[in-house]
Amino acid sequence: MNFWVIQGLNGLAFGSLLFILASGFSLIFGLMRIVNLSHGAYFMLGAYVGLSAIDAGVSFWVAILIGGLAISVLGAIIERFILRRLSGQPLAQVLVTLGIAFIIADACVWIWTGDPRPVPMPRELAGAFRVQQLAFPIYRLFVIGVAFTLAATLWFLLERSRLGAMIRAGVDDLSMARAMGIRTSLLFPVVFCLGSALAGAGGVLAGPILSVYPGLDTDMLPLALVVVILGGIGSLLGAFIGSLIIGFIYSYGQALFPDLAYVILFLPMVLVLTLRPTGLFGRQAI
Amino acid sequence: MGTDALVISGLNAFYGESHVLHDLSFTVKQGQVLGLLGRNGAGKTTCISAIIGLVRANATHLELFGQSIAGLSPEAISLKGVGLVPQGRRIFPSLTVYENLTVAARRNRSAQRADWTLDDVYTAFPRLAERQRQLAGSLSGGEQQMLAICRALMTNPQLILFDEPSEGLAPQIVAEVAAVLKRLRDSGLSIILVEQNIKLALEIADEVVVLNTGYIAHTGAASSLRADSQRIEQLLGVY
Ligand SMILES: Nc1ncnc2c1ncn2[C@@H]1O[C@H](COP(=O)(O)OP(=O)(O)OP(=O)(O)O)[C@@H](O)[C@H]1O
Ligand SMILES: [Mg+2]
Protein backbone atom coordinates (compact mmCIF):
# COMPACT_ATOMS: atom_id res chain seq x y z
CA MET A 1 0.00 0.00 0.00
CA ASN A 2 2.74 2.45 1.02
CA PHE A 3 4.65 1.54 -2.08
CA TRP A 4 1.79 2.56 -4.35
CA VAL A 5 1.20 5.83 -2.60
CA ILE A 6 4.84 6.85 -2.50
CA GLN A 7 5.52 5.84 -6.10
CA GLY A 8 2.30 7.59 -7.08
CA LEU A 9 3.49 10.79 -5.46
CA ASN A 10 6.90 10.39 -7.07
CA GLY A 11 5.19 9.96 -10.41
CA LEU A 12 3.13 13.04 -9.77
CA ALA A 13 6.26 15.04 -8.91
CA PHE A 14 8.11 13.85 -12.01
CA GLY A 15 5.04 14.46 -14.14
CA SER A 16 4.91 17.96 -12.69
CA LEU A 17 8.45 18.69 -13.81
CA LEU A 18 7.62 17.25 -17.21
CA PHE A 19 4.57 19.47 -17.52
CA ILE A 20 6.64 22.59 -16.85
CA LEU A 21 8.95 21.51 -19.66
CA ALA A 22 6.36 20.12 -22.07
CA SER A 23 3.69 22.83 -21.87
CA GLY A 24 5.94 25.40 -23.54
CA PHE A 25 7.32 22.83 -25.95
CA SER A 26 3.78 21.92 -27.00
CA LEU A 27 2.62 25.50 -27.47
CA ILE A 28 5.67 26.33 -29.59
CA PHE A 29 5.11 23.19 -31.64
CA GLY A 30 1.40 23.92 -32.07
CA LEU A 31 1.60 27.58 -32.97
CA MET A 32 4.93 27.94 -34.75
CA ARG A 33 5.07 24.37 -36.14
CA ILE A 34 8.62 24.12 -34.82
CA VAL A 35 9.78 21.00 -33.03
CA ASN A 36 12.17 22.89 -30.79
CA LEU A 37 14.88 20.32 -30.24
CA SER A 38 16.79 22.77 -28.03
CA HIS A 39 14.05 22.69 -25.43
CA GLY A 40 15.83 20.05 -23.34
CA ALA A 41 19.04 22.06 -23.55
CA TYR A 42 17.16 25.15 -22.31
CA PHE A 43 16.04 23.09 -19.32
CA MET A 44 19.60 21.97 -18.55
CA LEU A 45 21.12 25.40 -19.13
CA GLY A 46 18.48 26.96 -16.88
CA ALA A 47 19.45 24.53 -14.14
CA TYR A 48 23.15 25.35 -14.51
CA VAL A 49 22.48 29.09 -14.53
CA GLY A 50 20.36 28.72 -11.40
CA LEU A 51 23.09 26.65 -9.75
CA SER A 52 25.71 29.33 -10.46
CA ALA A 53 23.34 31.97 -9.12
CA ILE A 54 22.96 29.99 -5.90
CA ASP A 55 26.74 29.54 -5.72
CA ALA A 56 27.04 33.31 -6.08
CA GLY A 57 24.91 33.67 -2.98
CA VAL A 58 21.37 34.38 -4.16
CA SER A 59 18.44 32.47 -2.70
CA PHE A 60 16.89 29.48 -4.45
CA TRP A 61 13.78 31.50 -5.29
CA VAL A 62 15.74 34.25 -6.97
CA ALA A 63 17.77 31.59 -8.78
CA ILE A 64 14.57 30.22 -10.30
CA LEU A 65 13.72 33.69 -11.60
CA ILE A 66 17.24 34.19 -12.93
CA GLY A 67 17.19 30.80 -14.67
CA GLY A 68 13.83 31.54 -16.28
CA LEU A 69 14.78 35.05 -17.29
CA ALA A 70 18.15 34.06 -18.74
CA ILE A 71 16.64 31.34 -20.90
CA SER A 72 13.78 33.54 -22.03
CA VAL A 73 16.28 36.16 -23.21
CA LEU A 74 18.22 33.43 -25.00
CA GLY A 75 14.95 32.21 -26.53
CA ALA A 76 14.06 35.72 -27.66
CA ILE A 77 17.40 36.09 -29.41
CA ILE A 78 17.16 32.70 -31.08
CA GLU A 79 13.58 33.36 -32.23
CA ARG A 80 14.31 36.82 -33.54
CA PHE A 81 17.64 36.26 -35.26
CA ILE A 82 17.59 32.62 -36.29
CA LEU A 83 14.14 31.02 -36.41
CA ARG A 84 12.36 34.02 -37.93
CA ARG A 85 14.85 34.13 -40.78
CA LEU A 86 14.02 30.52 -41.54
CA SER A 87 10.26 30.95 -41.37
CA GLY A 88 8.46 28.74 -43.86
CA GLN A 89 11.33 26.23 -43.85
CA PRO A 90 10.33 23.76 -41.13
CA LEU A 91 13.14 21.30 -41.80
CA ALA A 92 15.78 24.03 -41.56
CA GLN A 93 14.21 25.27 -38.34
CA VAL A 94 14.23 21.87 -36.71
CA LEU A 95 17.82 21.22 -37.75
CA VAL A 96 18.95 24.58 -36.46
CA THR A 97 17.34 23.91 -33.07
CA LEU A 98 19.19 20.59 -32.99
CA GLY A 99 22.44 22.42 -33.72
CA ILE A 100 21.74 24.93 -30.95
CA ALA A 101 21.06 22.05 -28.57
CA PHE A 102 24.53 20.61 -29.31
CA ILE A 103 26.18 24.00 -28.88
CA ILE A 104 24.47 24.58 -25.53
CA ALA A 105 25.36 21.08 -24.33
CA ASP A 106 29.02 21.56 -25.25
CA ALA A 107 29.14 25.00 -23.70
CA CYS A 108 27.70 23.58 -20.48
CA VAL A 109 30.41 20.92 -20.25
CA TRP A 110 32.99 23.59 -20.93
CA ILE A 111 31.68 25.96 -18.25
CA TRP A 112 30.34 23.61 -15.60
CA THR A 113 32.52 20.53 -16.32
CA GLY A 114 31.17 17.04 -16.83
CA ASP A 115 30.52 16.20 -13.19
CA PRO A 116 26.94 15.91 -12.00
CA ARG A 117 26.07 18.78 -9.70
CA PRO A 118 23.28 18.60 -7.15
CA VAL A 119 21.31 21.81 -6.78
CA PRO A 120 20.88 22.57 -3.08
CA MET A 121 17.34 22.44 -1.86
CA PRO A 122 15.88 25.54 -0.24
CA ARG A 123 16.23 25.01 3.50
CA GLU A 124 12.61 25.87 4.25
CA LEU A 125 11.45 22.96 2.09
CA ALA A 126 13.92 20.33 3.26
CA GLY A 127 12.66 17.37 5.23
CA ALA A 128 9.70 15.08 4.88
CA PHE A 129 6.00 15.31 5.30
CA ARG A 130 4.71 12.51 7.53
CA VAL A 131 1.28 10.93 7.75
CA GLN A 132 1.20 7.75 9.88
CA GLN A 133 4.03 5.57 8.50
CA LEU A 134 4.27 7.50 5.23
CA ALA A 135 7.07 9.99 4.71
CA PHE A 136 7.37 12.04 1.56
CA PRO A 137 9.81 14.89 0.75
CA ILE A 138 8.17 18.27 1.21
CA TYR A 139 10.06 19.66 -1.75
CA ARG A 140 8.35 17.22 -4.10
CA LEU A 141 4.95 18.22 -2.79
CA PHE A 142 5.97 21.79 -3.44
CA VAL A 143 6.93 20.96 -7.05
CA ILE A 144 3.53 19.33 -7.54
CA GLY A 145 1.87 22.46 -6.18
CA VAL A 146 3.89 24.66 -8.54
CA ALA A 147 2.93 22.61 -11.57
CA PHE A 148 -0.76 22.63 -10.72
CA THR A 149 -0.66 26.38 -10.11
CA LEU A 150 1.15 26.85 -13.40
CA ALA A 151 -1.42 24.69 -15.17
CA ALA A 152 -4.24 26.80 -13.75
CA THR A 153 -2.48 30.04 -14.69
CA LEU A 154 -1.73 28.91 -18.23
CA TRP A 155 -5.28 27.66 -18.58
CA PHE A 156 -6.57 31.05 -17.53
CA LEU A 157 -4.23 32.85 -19.91
CA LEU A 158 -5.06 30.61 -22.85
CA GLU A 159 -8.76 30.05 -22.30
CA ARG A 160 -9.92 33.27 -20.74
CA SER A 161 -7.99 36.05 -22.45
CA ARG A 162 -8.11 37.43 -25.95
CA LEU A 163 -4.38 36.85 -26.33
CA GLY A 164 -5.02 33.21 -25.46
CA ALA A 165 -7.82 32.99 -28.02
CA MET A 166 -5.48 34.42 -30.66
CA ILE A 167 -2.86 31.80 -29.80
CA ARG A 168 -5.42 28.99 -29.98
CA ALA A 169 -6.74 30.36 -33.28
CA GLY A 170 -3.18 30.22 -34.61
CA VAL A 171 -2.79 26.65 -33.37
CA ASP A 172 -6.10 25.68 -35.01
CA ASP A 173 -5.46 27.24 -38.42
CA LEU A 174 -2.49 29.53 -38.82
CA SER A 175 -3.31 30.73 -42.35
CA MET A 176 -6.88 31.60 -41.39
CA ALA A 177 -5.72 33.40 -38.26
CA ARG A 178 -3.45 35.51 -40.44
CA ALA A 179 -6.15 36.07 -43.06
CA MET A 180 -8.44 37.36 -40.28
CA GLY A 181 -5.82 39.96 -39.39
CA ILE A 182 -4.36 38.32 -36.28
CA ARG A 183 -0.72 39.39 -36.17
CA THR A 184 0.79 36.00 -35.57
CA SER A 185 4.29 37.39 -36.06
CA LEU A 186 3.78 39.13 -32.71
CA LEU A 187 2.44 35.97 -31.06
CA PHE A 188 5.47 33.86 -32.00
CA PRO A 189 8.02 35.67 -29.80
CA VAL A 190 5.51 35.79 -26.93
CA VAL A 191 4.98 32.04 -27.01
CA PHE A 192 8.62 31.22 -27.66
CA CYS A 193 9.84 33.37 -24.76
CA LEU A 194 7.18 31.99 -22.45
CA GLY A 195 8.10 28.41 -23.35
CA SER A 196 11.81 29.15 -22.94
CA ALA A 197 11.28 30.82 -19.58
CA LEU A 198 9.30 27.82 -18.34
CA ALA A 199 12.03 25.45 -19.51
CA GLY A 200 14.75 27.49 -17.78
CA ALA A 201 12.85 27.96 -14.53
CA GLY A 202 11.74 24.32 -14.64
CA GLY A 203 15.37 23.25 -14.89
CA VAL A 204 16.25 25.09 -11.67
CA LEU A 205 13.17 23.70 -9.95
CA ALA A 206 14.12 20.19 -11.03
CA GLY A 207 17.69 20.61 -9.81
CA PRO A 208 17.19 19.41 -6.23
CA ILE A 209 15.39 16.29 -7.50
CA LEU A 210 17.27 15.35 -10.67
CA SER A 211 20.61 17.19 -10.19
CA VAL A 212 22.25 18.79 -13.22
CA TYR A 213 24.55 16.73 -15.40
CA PRO A 214 25.61 16.54 -19.01
CA GLY A 215 22.85 14.51 -20.66
CA LEU A 216 20.00 15.96 -18.62
CA ASP A 217 18.95 17.67 -21.84
CA THR A 218 18.80 14.48 -23.90
CA ASP A 219 17.12 12.64 -21.03
CA MET A 220 14.29 15.16 -20.85
CA LEU A 221 13.72 16.14 -24.48
CA PRO A 222 12.39 12.74 -25.64
CA LEU A 223 10.02 12.70 -22.69
CA ALA A 224 8.65 16.12 -23.65
CA LEU A 225 8.22 14.83 -27.18
CA VAL A 226 6.35 11.76 -25.93
CA VAL A 227 4.11 13.94 -23.78
CA VAL A 228 3.19 16.12 -26.73
CA ILE A 229 2.54 13.22 -29.07
CA LEU A 230 0.42 11.61 -26.38
CA GLY A 231 -1.53 14.71 -25.37
CA GLY A 232 -1.82 16.38 -28.75
CA ILE A 233 0.21 19.18 -30.32
CA GLY A 234 -0.53 22.62 -28.92
CA SER A 235 -3.03 21.36 -26.34
CA LEU A 236 -2.48 22.55 -22.78
CA LEU A 237 -4.83 19.93 -21.36
CA GLY A 238 -3.01 17.33 -23.43
CA ALA A 239 0.37 18.41 -22.08
CA PHE A 240 -1.00 18.22 -18.55
CA ILE A 241 -2.62 14.79 -18.83
CA GLY A 242 0.26 13.48 -20.95
CA SER A 243 2.84 14.62 -18.39
CA LEU A 244 1.01 12.95 -15.55
CA ILE A 245 0.60 9.70 -17.48
CA ILE A 246 4.30 9.63 -18.35
CA GLY A 247 5.20 10.63 -14.79
CA PHE A 248 3.27 7.68 -13.37
CA ILE A 249 4.58 5.20 -15.93
CA TYR A 250 8.12 6.40 -15.27
CA SER A 251 7.79 6.11 -11.53
CA TYR A 252 6.02 2.75 -11.33
CA GLY A 253 8.05 1.42 -14.25
CA GLN A 254 11.36 2.20 -12.57
CA ALA A 255 10.22 0.54 -9.38
CA LEU A 256 8.55 -2.54 -10.87
CA PHE A 257 10.45 -3.22 -14.10
CA PRO A 258 13.71 -1.28 -13.84
CA ASP A 259 15.12 -2.96 -16.96
CA LEU A 260 12.17 -1.91 -19.09
CA ALA A 261 11.52 1.48 -17.52
CA TYR A 262 12.63 3.45 -20.55
CA VAL A 263 10.94 1.18 -23.08
CA ILE A 264 7.50 1.27 -21.52
CA LEU A 265 7.59 5.06 -21.55
CA PHE A 266 7.28 4.91 -25.31
CA LEU A 267 4.52 2.32 -25.42
CA PRO A 268 1.67 4.82 -24.91
CA MET A 269 3.19 6.95 -27.66
CA VAL A 270 3.20 4.05 -30.10
CA LEU A 271 -0.39 3.22 -29.17
CA VAL A 272 -1.55 6.77 -29.65
CA LEU A 273 0.30 7.15 -32.93
CA THR A 274 -1.42 4.10 -34.37
CA LEU A 275 -4.88 4.62 -32.88
CA ARG A 276 -5.23 8.37 -32.68
CA PRO A 277 -2.52 10.30 -34.56
CA THR A 278 -3.75 13.67 -33.31
CA GLY A 279 -3.02 12.70 -29.71
CA LEU A 280 -5.61 12.57 -26.95
CA PHE A 281 -6.61 16.24 -27.10
CA GLY A 282 -5.01 17.58 -30.27
CA ARG A 283 -6.23 18.51 -33.72
CA GLN A 284 -3.12 18.24 -35.85
CA ALA A 285 -1.77 14.85 -36.76
CA ILE A 286 1.98 14.45 -36.44
CA MET B 1 -17.54 58.16 -58.90
CA GLY B 2 -15.27 56.90 -56.10
CA THR B 3 -12.22 54.72 -56.48
CA ASP B 4 -12.69 51.08 -57.31
CA ALA B 5 -12.75 48.60 -54.46
CA LEU B 6 -10.20 46.32 -56.07
CA VAL B 7 -8.18 46.62 -59.24
CA ILE B 8 -6.25 43.58 -60.40
CA SER B 9 -4.12 43.58 -63.47
CA GLY B 10 -1.59 41.11 -64.79
CA LEU B 11 -1.96 38.71 -61.87
CA ASN B 12 0.06 35.51 -62.10
CA ALA B 13 0.22 32.87 -59.39
CA PHE B 14 2.27 29.74 -58.98
CA TYR B 15 2.39 26.65 -56.77
CA GLY B 16 6.07 25.81 -56.95
CA GLU B 17 6.72 25.23 -60.63
CA SER B 18 3.14 25.05 -61.78
CA HIS B 19 1.72 28.26 -63.16
CA VAL B 20 -1.90 28.36 -61.98
CA LEU B 21 -3.19 31.88 -62.77
CA HIS B 22 -2.30 33.59 -66.04
CA ASP B 23 -2.44 37.36 -66.42
CA LEU B 24 -5.76 37.92 -64.70
CA SER B 25 -7.15 41.45 -64.86
CA PHE B 26 -10.47 42.61 -63.49
CA THR B 27 -11.99 45.31 -61.32
CA VAL B 28 -14.46 45.21 -58.47
CA LYS B 29 -16.41 48.46 -58.40
CA GLN B 30 -17.21 49.96 -55.05
CA GLY B 31 -20.47 48.63 -53.67
CA GLN B 32 -20.78 45.95 -56.32
CA VAL B 33 -20.70 42.18 -56.34
CA LEU B 34 -18.28 40.48 -58.67
CA GLY B 35 -19.13 36.83 -59.33
CA LEU B 36 -16.02 34.73 -59.92
CA LEU B 37 -17.05 31.54 -61.66
CA GLY B 38 -15.39 28.53 -63.18
CA ARG B 39 -15.26 24.76 -63.08
CA ASN B 40 -13.47 22.72 -60.42
CA GLY B 41 -9.78 23.53 -60.41
CA ALA B 42 -10.18 26.62 -62.57
CA GLY B 43 -8.18 28.70 -60.08
CA LYS B 44 -10.90 30.55 -58.15
CA THR B 45 -9.59 29.76 -54.68
CA THR B 46 -6.05 30.50 -55.80
CA CYS B 47 -7.23 33.89 -56.99
CA ILE B 48 -8.90 34.59 -53.65
CA SER B 49 -5.77 33.42 -51.81
CA ALA B 50 -3.62 35.69 -53.96
CA ILE B 51 -5.79 38.70 -53.10
CA ILE B 52 -5.59 38.05 -49.35
CA GLY B 53 -1.87 37.28 -49.60
CA LEU B 54 -1.91 33.60 -48.70
CA VAL B 55 -0.50 32.59 -52.07
CA ARG B 56 2.55 34.35 -53.46
CA ALA B 57 1.62 36.03 -56.68
CA ASN B 58 2.97 38.78 -58.85
CA ALA B 59 0.79 41.40 -60.41
CA THR B 60 1.31 44.63 -62.30
CA HIS B 61 -1.38 46.19 -60.12
CA LEU B 62 -3.14 44.95 -57.03
CA GLU B 63 -4.93 47.92 -55.54
CA LEU B 64 -7.46 48.12 -52.75
CA PHE B 65 -9.34 51.41 -52.85
CA GLY B 66 -6.43 52.97 -54.71
CA GLN B 67 -3.76 51.62 -52.35
CA SER B 68 -1.35 48.94 -53.48
CA ILE B 69 -1.56 45.73 -51.45
CA ALA B 70 0.88 43.78 -53.61
CA GLY B 71 3.37 41.76 -51.59
CA LEU B 72 1.79 42.50 -48.21
CA SER B 73 1.28 39.75 -45.62
CA PRO B 74 -2.23 38.31 -45.14
CA GLU B 75 -2.56 40.03 -41.76
CA ALA B 76 -1.64 43.40 -43.27
CA ILE B 77 -4.09 42.97 -46.15
CA SER B 78 -6.82 41.91 -43.75
CA LEU B 79 -6.15 44.94 -41.56
CA LYS B 80 -6.50 47.17 -44.63
CA GLY B 81 -10.10 46.07 -44.87
CA VAL B 82 -10.38 42.76 -46.70
CA GLY B 83 -12.63 40.11 -45.16
CA LEU B 84 -12.50 36.43 -46.07
CA VAL B 85 -15.12 33.69 -45.89
CA PRO B 86 -12.93 30.81 -47.00
CA GLN B 87 -13.84 27.67 -48.88
CA GLY B 88 -14.66 24.92 -46.40
CA ARG B 89 -15.57 27.54 -43.74
CA ARG B 90 -12.42 26.96 -41.68
CA ILE B 91 -13.79 28.38 -38.47
CA PHE B 92 -11.49 27.86 -35.47
CA PRO B 93 -12.89 24.58 -34.13
CA SER B 94 -11.41 24.71 -30.63
CA LEU B 95 -12.61 28.25 -30.00
CA THR B 96 -16.13 28.94 -28.84
CA VAL B 97 -18.60 30.68 -31.13
CA TYR B 98 -18.12 33.84 -29.10
CA GLU B 99 -14.34 33.61 -29.40
CA ASN B 100 -14.50 33.01 -33.14
CA LEU B 101 -16.49 36.20 -33.48
CA THR B 102 -14.33 38.34 -31.20
CA VAL B 103 -10.81 37.02 -31.65
CA ALA B 104 -10.13 39.18 -34.70
CA ALA B 105 -12.97 41.69 -34.32
CA ARG B 106 -12.15 45.33 -34.99
CA ARG B 107 -13.79 48.56 -35.99
CA ASN B 108 -13.57 50.17 -39.37
CA ARG B 109 -11.46 53.27 -39.56
CA SER B 110 -13.17 54.90 -42.52
CA ALA B 111 -16.67 53.92 -41.50
CA GLN B 112 -19.17 54.94 -44.11
CA ARG B 113 -21.37 52.09 -42.96
CA ALA B 114 -22.34 51.36 -39.39
CA ASP B 115 -19.93 48.84 -37.87
CA TRP B 116 -21.01 45.27 -37.25
CA THR B 117 -21.04 44.58 -33.54
CA LEU B 118 -21.54 41.37 -31.60
CA ASP B 119 -25.10 42.49 -30.86
CA ASP B 120 -25.83 43.01 -34.55
CA VAL B 121 -24.54 39.54 -35.34
CA TYR B 122 -26.53 37.92 -32.56
CA THR B 123 -29.66 39.79 -33.61
CA ALA B 124 -29.26 38.76 -37.22
CA PHE B 125 -28.26 35.18 -36.36
CA PRO B 126 -30.02 34.14 -33.15
CA ARG B 127 -28.67 30.59 -33.58
CA LEU B 128 -25.16 31.89 -32.96
CA ALA B 129 -26.31 33.73 -29.85
CA GLU B 130 -27.86 30.53 -28.51
CA ARG B 131 -24.63 28.67 -29.09
CA GLN B 132 -22.13 31.33 -28.15
CA ARG B 133 -20.48 29.23 -25.40
CA GLN B 134 -20.29 26.13 -27.55
CA LEU B 135 -17.11 25.06 -29.35
CA ALA B 136 -17.38 26.06 -32.98
CA GLY B 137 -16.25 22.62 -34.07
CA SER B 138 -19.48 21.17 -32.69
CA LEU B 139 -21.77 23.29 -34.89
CA SER B 140 -23.61 21.94 -37.92
CA GLY B 141 -22.31 22.79 -41.38
CA GLY B 142 -24.87 25.53 -41.92
CA GLU B 143 -24.16 27.10 -38.55
CA GLN B 144 -20.44 26.98 -39.24
CA GLN B 145 -21.01 28.79 -42.53
CA MET B 146 -22.98 31.53 -40.79
CA LEU B 147 -20.22 31.75 -38.20
CA ALA B 148 -17.57 32.03 -40.91
CA ILE B 149 -19.55 34.86 -42.50
CA CYS B 150 -20.04 36.65 -39.19
CA ARG B 151 -16.40 36.18 -38.21
CA ALA B 152 -15.48 38.09 -41.37
CA LEU B 153 -18.14 40.75 -40.76
CA MET B 154 -16.83 41.37 -37.26
CA THR B 155 -13.56 42.58 -38.80
CA ASN B 156 -15.70 45.23 -40.54
CA PRO B 157 -14.12 44.89 -43.97
CA GLN B 158 -14.59 47.16 -46.96
CA LEU B 159 -14.25 44.30 -49.40
CA ILE B 160 -15.32 40.78 -48.55
CA LEU B 161 -14.27 37.62 -50.36
CA PHE B 162 -16.71 34.70 -50.33
CA ASP B 163 -15.31 31.39 -51.53
CA GLU B 164 -18.20 29.03 -52.30
CA PRO B 165 -20.38 29.92 -49.33
CA SER B 166 -23.18 27.57 -50.47
CA GLU B 167 -20.95 24.52 -50.92
CA GLY B 168 -22.24 21.39 -49.23
CA LEU B 169 -25.28 23.01 -47.61
CA ALA B 170 -28.92 21.92 -47.63
CA PRO B 171 -31.23 23.94 -49.93
CA GLN B 172 -32.92 25.93 -47.17
CA ILE B 173 -29.53 26.89 -45.73
CA VAL B 174 -28.38 27.93 -49.20
CA ALA B 175 -31.43 30.20 -49.34
CA GLU B 176 -30.41 31.68 -45.99
CA VAL B 177 -26.87 32.31 -47.23
CA ALA B 178 -28.31 33.94 -50.36
CA ALA B 179 -30.44 36.23 -48.22
CA VAL B 180 -27.38 37.26 -46.21
CA LEU B 181 -25.42 37.96 -49.38
CA LYS B 182 -28.19 40.15 -50.73
CA ARG B 183 -28.42 42.02 -47.50
CA LEU B 184 -24.69 42.68 -47.52
CA ARG B 185 -24.82 43.77 -51.15
CA ASP B 186 -27.66 46.18 -50.36
CA SER B 187 -25.67 47.59 -47.44
CA GLY B 188 -23.12 48.79 -49.98
CA LEU B 189 -20.31 46.36 -49.19
CA SER B 190 -18.01 45.45 -52.09
CA ILE B 191 -17.99 41.70 -52.63
CA ILE B 192 -16.23 39.00 -54.60
CA LEU B 193 -18.42 35.91 -54.72
CA VAL B 194 -16.94 32.62 -55.87
CA GLU B 195 -19.70 30.11 -56.58
CA GLN B 196 -20.36 26.80 -58.29
CA ASN B 197 -24.04 27.53 -57.81
CA ILE B 198 -24.40 29.54 -61.03
CA LYS B 199 -28.00 30.44 -60.49
CA LEU B 200 -27.24 31.88 -57.07
CA ALA B 201 -24.20 33.78 -58.31
CA LEU B 202 -26.01 35.31 -61.30
CA GLU B 203 -28.88 36.34 -59.05
CA ILE B 204 -26.60 38.31 -56.76
CA ALA B 205 -23.67 39.48 -58.86
CA ASP B 206 -23.45 42.70 -60.85
CA GLU B 207 -20.43 41.67 -62.89
CA VAL B 208 -19.12 38.24 -63.72
CA VAL B 209 -15.65 36.89 -64.42
CA VAL B 210 -15.37 33.31 -65.63
CA LEU B 211 -12.06 31.49 -65.21
CA ASN B 212 -11.01 28.52 -67.25
CA THR B 213 -7.83 26.65 -66.30
CA GLY B 214 -6.31 29.82 -64.91
CA TYR B 215 -7.23 32.14 -67.77
CA ILE B 216 -10.09 34.62 -67.96
CA ALA B 217 -12.63 33.12 -70.33
CA HIS B 218 -15.33 35.76 -70.02
CA THR B 219 -16.00 39.11 -68.39
CA GLY B 220 -19.29 40.95 -68.49
CA ALA B 221 -22.45 42.03 -66.74
CA ALA B 222 -24.28 39.32 -64.84
CA SER B 223 -27.55 40.40 -66.45
CA SER B 224 -26.37 39.64 -69.98
CA LEU B 225 -25.10 36.19 -68.98
CA ARG B 226 -28.33 35.46 -67.11
CA ALA B 227 -30.23 35.83 -70.35
CA ASP B 228 -27.84 33.68 -72.36
CA SER B 229 -28.06 30.09 -71.20
CA GLN B 230 -26.19 28.92 -74.27
CA ARG B 231 -23.18 31.02 -73.34
CA ILE B 232 -23.38 29.76 -69.76
CA GLU B 233 -23.45 26.19 -71.03
CA GLN B 234 -20.46 26.90 -73.22
CA LEU B 235 -18.44 28.56 -70.41
CA LEU B 236 -19.35 26.43 -67.46
CA GLY B 237 -20.88 23.31 -68.93
CA VAL B 238 -23.85 23.36 -66.56
CA TYR B 239 -27.24 24.99 -66.13
N1 LIG C 1 -1.62 23.89 -52.58
C1 LIG C 1 -1.58 23.56 -53.90
N2 LIG C 1 -0.44 23.07 -54.42
C2 LIG C 1 -0.36 22.75 -55.73
N3 LIG C 1 -1.37 22.90 -56.59
C3 LIG C 1 -2.52 23.39 -56.14
C4 LIG C 1 -2.69 23.75 -54.75
N4 LIG C 1 -3.95 24.20 -54.58
C5 LIG C 1 -4.54 24.13 -55.78
N5 LIG C 1 -3.69 23.65 -56.73
C6 LIG C 1 -3.99 23.47 -58.15
O1 LIG C 1 -4.26 24.74 -58.69
C7 LIG C 1 -5.36 24.68 -59.58
C8 LIG C 1 -6.42 25.66 -59.15
O2 LIG C 1 -6.95 25.24 -57.90
P1 LIG C 1 -8.03 26.09 -57.11
O3 LIG C 1 -8.16 25.48 -55.78
O4 LIG C 1 -7.67 27.52 -57.18
O5 LIG C 1 -9.33 25.81 -57.96
P2 LIG C 1 -10.83 26.23 -57.69
O6 LIG C 1 -11.30 26.93 -58.90
O7 LIG C 1 -10.95 26.93 -56.41
O8 LIG C 1 -11.55 24.81 -57.60
P3 LIG C 1 -12.80 24.33 -56.71
O9 LIG C 1 -14.04 24.79 -57.42
O10 LIG C 1 -12.71 22.85 -56.74
O11 LIG C 1 -12.65 24.90 -55.37
C9 LIG C 1 -5.82 23.25 -59.60
O12 LIG C 1 -5.25 22.64 -60.73
C10 LIG C 1 -5.26 22.66 -58.34
O13 LIG C 1 -4.95 21.31 -58.53
MG1 LIG D 1 -11.89 26.54 -54.65
Side-chain angles (χ1 to χ4, degrees), chain B residues 84-86 89-91 97 100-101 116 121-122 124-129 131 136 139-154 160 162 165-166 169-181 184:
Chain B
L84 172 66
V85 181
R89 314 188 248 286
R90 292 175 72 175
I91 42 94
V97 168
N100 265 277
L101 292 170
W116 280 88
V121 163
Y122 283 162
F125 302 94
R127 295 294 294 272
L128 296 182
R131 294 170 196 277
L139 300 183
S140 72
E143 288 164 347
Q144 289 192 8
Q145 188 59 263
M146 294 306 167
L147 180 59
I149 294 173
C150 293
R151 176 180 66 176
L153 291 177
M154 289 290 287
I160 184 162
F162 283 93
S166 77
L169 299 180
Q172 82 264 25
I173 314 277
V174 173
E176 251 182 83
V177 170
V180 174
L181 288 169
L184 295 177

Side-chain angles (χ1 to χ4, degrees), chain B residues 3 24 26 28 30 39 83 93 105 112 115 123 129 144 156 180 184 204 218 223 226:
Chain B
T3 41
L24 304 193
F26 59 84
V28 185
Q30 189 161 2
R39 297 187 180 93
Q112 294 132 323
D115 274 353
T123 310
Q144 289 192 8
N156 284 298
V180 174
L184 295 177
I204 291 167
H218 171 89
S223 52
R226 223 171 315 178

Side-chain angles (χ1 to χ4, degrees), chain B residues 14-16 18 20-21 37-49 55 87 163-164 167 194-196 211 214:
Chain B
F14 305 80
Y15 288 112
S18 78
V20 180
L21 297 180
L37 311 180
R39 297 187 180 93
N40 284 322
K44 307 179 294 296
T45 298
T46 307
C47 183
I48 295 292
S49 304
V55 164
Q87 184 164 21
D163 197 347
E164 303 204 26
E167 191 183 21
V194 171
E195 260 305 338
Q196 296 267 10
L211 293 184

Side-chain angles (χ1 to χ4, degrees), chain B residues 102-126:
Chain B
T102 53
V103 70
R106 56 187 175 263
R107 311 182 135 257
N108 190 337
R109 289 148 290 147
S110 55
Q112 294 132 323
R113 276 174 311 281
D115 274 353
W116 280 88
T117 64
L118 195 59
D119 280 345
D120 298 336
V121 163
Y122 283 162
T123 310
F125 302 94

Side-chain angles (χ1 to χ4, degrees), chain A residues 140-154:
Chain A
R140 294 191 182 201
L141 293 176
F142 167 74
V143 167
I144 296 169
V146 169
F148 277 73
T149 311
L150 174 69
T153 310
L154 286 179

